[in-house]
Amino acid sequence: MATRPGRRRPPFFELMGNLCLDFINTLDDRPSTEPKELLKSYYDLARFCEDTGILTPEQLDFFYQRVHLMPDEAEDALRRALNLREALYAIFSAVMNKQIVPQHAMERLNANLHDAALHSRLVQSEGRLEWRFDDLTSSFNAMLWPIARAAADLLASSDLAMVRACASPTCQWLFLDTSKNHHRRWCSMKQCGNRAKVRRFYAKKKTA
Ligand SMILES: [Zn+2]
């Protein structure tokens, strides 16, 4: 994968290109008996934010230098991030399964959106208007503002109908199916699609 100019660290997370879905996927292999937590520390959370472009390398350095000075704040921010992530998972799963969204999950997202709204404004940039957030180093929680905002934007848009869960029974990563026929089944052909193909190949060989 090509690294962005000015990056100091190679990408760590495998990203599908939608910020809030990528965030939900940071609990990997969710439906398996051994889900893998990719956000084990605040450093991982910050790294995710660099990979997705929420934080610049300079902003990431800022947090890296302060985490050990303010461990309680960082720990609290990580806990809030994981709570938001699980609320988002509950909301998207309910929507995809045409169920009522759990109230506690909506309340958690709305609390994060409220926080994001207090720190965001519309600005003109290159002939268009876009959301801009206040200094993203002003709080250990700051990266949750763009994540909550991205989730709300997707939930309230017509793109919501394109959210899919990977067909692999142990993966179920969420992704936006922007393929022409909207029949995409796997999070990435490189990973799950191939694994499924290999499984079918060996199953056929066994029964042959
Ligand atoms: Zn998958």
Side-chain angles (χ1 to χ4, degrees):
M1 196 191 286
T3 53
R4 282 185 292 121
R7 271 196 80 111
R8 305 212 179 120
R9 289 149 285 256
F12 178 77
F13 288 85
E14 201 183 335
L15 302 174
M16 313 291 298
N18 180 279
L19 176 58
C20 81
L21 300 182
D22 283 329
F23 184 59
I24 292 171
N25 294 340
T26 57
L27 184 63
D28 200 9
D29 296 340
R30 195 181 271 277
S32 76
T33 49
E34 287 178 14
K36 283 200 278 296
E37 179 56 79
L38 303 183
L39 302 180
K40 289 201 192 77
S41 70
Y42 190 83
Y43 292 105
D44 298 331
L45 176 62
R47 187 69 178 275
F48 172 81
C49 295
E50 189 193 18
D51 282 4
T52 51
I54 300 177
L55 295 179
T56 63
E58 293 74 22
Q59 288 167 330
L60 182 65
D61 289 345
F62 178 90
F63 284 120
Y64 271 15
Q65 286 154 15
R66 276 160 187 77
V67 169
H68 71 282
L69 299 173
M70 306 170 81
D72 292 346
E73 282 83 351
E75 194 56 40
D76 185 55
L78 176 66
R79 203 166 38 242
R80 280 183 66 159
L82 298 182
N83 285 338
L84 172 62
R85 183 187 68 189
E86 294 315 300
L88 292 177
Y89 175 69
I91 294 170
F92 278 94
S93 317
V95 169
M96 283 192 299
N97 294 314
K98 301 195 172 18
Q99 291 167 345
I100 293 171
V101 172
Q103 190 59 27
H104 66 89
M106 281 302 283
E107 278 166 16
R108 188 166 303 272
L109 173 57
N110 273 320
N112 278 276
L113 282 171
H114 182 71
D115 206 18
L118 292 175
H119 296 279
S120 59
R121 64 214 138 85
L122 271 179
V123 293
Q124 286 201 61
S125 168
E126 295 171 7
R128 52 193 282 268
L129 292 168
E130 61 178 36
W131 286 108
R132 193 72 60 78
F133 294 92
D134 298 344
D135 182 7
L136 283 170
T137 56
S138 58
S139 154
F140 275 95
N141 296 315
M143 64 273 275
L144 301 186
W145 307 334
I147 292 172
R149 177 86 218 176
D153 286 349
L154 180 55
L155 285 165
S157 83
S158 56
D159 285 354
L160 182 61
M162 293 194 289
V163 176
R164 307 262 183 278
C166 175
S168 158
T170 55
C171 173
Q172 290 187 17
W173 265 20
L174 301 187
F175 63 91
L176 209 54
D177 179 10
T178 52
S179 67
K180 212 167 146 210
N181 299 321
H182 302 301
H183 283 149
R184 190 170 145 202
R185 298 186 60 208
W186 315 106
C187 65
S188 98
M189 280 311 291
K190 198 178 73 197
Q191 293 279 332
C192 295
N194 267 354
R195 267 187 241 148
K197 262 190 215 156
V198 169
R199 264 202 306 275
R200 275 201 300 274
F201 176 75
Y202 284 110
K204 254 189 204 165
K205 270 188 107 172
K206 254 189 188 167
T207 54

